[in-house]
Amino acid sequence: MTRSWWMTAQLILFAAAVLAVPAVCRAVDLGISSDTIVRVYERDDRNGRGRSLLPVYEFMRIDYGSVTTPGLSLHAYGWGRLDLRDSHEDGDAEGDLLYAYLEYIDPDRDHQVRIGRQYLFEGVMRESFDGLYARTELVPTVALSAFAGMPVGAGSAAGRSGDLIYGARIVQGQRGRYDAGISYKYVANDGSRSEELLGADLSLILPAGISLFGHSTLNLLTGGWGEHSYEARIPFASMEFRPFYQRYRYSDYLNDRSGSSRPFRFQTALGDRVEIAGAEGFWYPAESVEFGGRYKYLTYDRRFGNAHMATALATVRRGIFSEAGLEFGRVQGDLAENRYYLGRGYLYGDFTPWFATGDVTYVRYDRAIYGENSALFVSAGLGRKMPDPALSLKLSVDYSNDPYFHKDYRGTLAVTYAFRR
């Protein structure tokens, strides 16, 4: 399991901070949650090669501080994996510290400061970094936030030397009416400019419960617009209508430079632009019943052609936690792999102290892909909440058979423990 010097320093810093928190916080609470997952893979790929894996995953989260009033608090979350049977390509063991930061919120909630490894989803910032984040209300209707530090993704490519990330967002609005923000992000990897974005976002609440949401991102390196995404929500009696439009240009939206933390960077080599337009509609005839429909039209400038996607769904709920649903859809595209029917059924039943889950998805292709005309995924699970309310166990079995993997079996044992004092 690898760990950078920065992560080690953070662990020492936060361990010391834990001892100091009770002196400066009131109503101090400690929350620990642990998810231990044991998985079994029995897989035959399309080339006939068999593979057996037995990885054990551990996910742990710690929250320490005041949960009833603002003040100083500590938050950390990390994961580890150990392979007991076969090995992944990167070795028998691996792990990472996903976030670990100290946070302070002043009593009036007008100021907020975080230091450490953290995820930030604000404006054009949607990634992990090690550093400092601060937010303050300049006046009751205007707020300013800023961050600076080192990007986590760039550090794995060529070390930490010369890595830098910083940015800011200013937002003006009135609670319950609208918010309009402008944001900026700059990333340097190994001393050279890797990413520079400028974004604008808007949320607007209109009369009759109508709302509008949208954001656009300009890539200052390429000079092109990487993303436009807009959605409206229009309620009417017991129904709601949601039209939307999205446009992405991969060469402007995705960063293909070395050390970028964005996934799917390979898409930039395709030079594709995709536009998605459509709408969703939902009808709620009763509190526990929901019917809906979705339509999407996707158009690509080069590689995938165009495609229409329409689905209908129905959901029934019982109590707070039990739910069952059905979905049926059709995708009609220019390519063979984008012409198929889709059916899905799922359920989650709460029969305290037991609970059960089930999910079946079936796809029928118009034409065979790698000799297969269909794809099937089946999952079934059974769990129990133990007498200790903090502990629960779940055992699930998955099976899939599709054009890309033949007879893929998976078994999962999940042990969840949540402690709070």
Side-chain angles (χ1 to χ4, degrees), residues 101 110 132 233 265 276 374:
Y101 61 87
D110 293 334
L132 177 68
R233 298 183 182 180
R265 295 194 304 272
I276 306 171
S374 63

Side-chain angles (χ1 to χ4, degrees), residues 8-9 21 24 77 96 105 142 235 265 294 353:
T8 304
V21 168
V24 294
Y77 183 58
D96 198 4
I105 301 176
V142 179
R265 295 194 304 272
R294 298 187 180 100

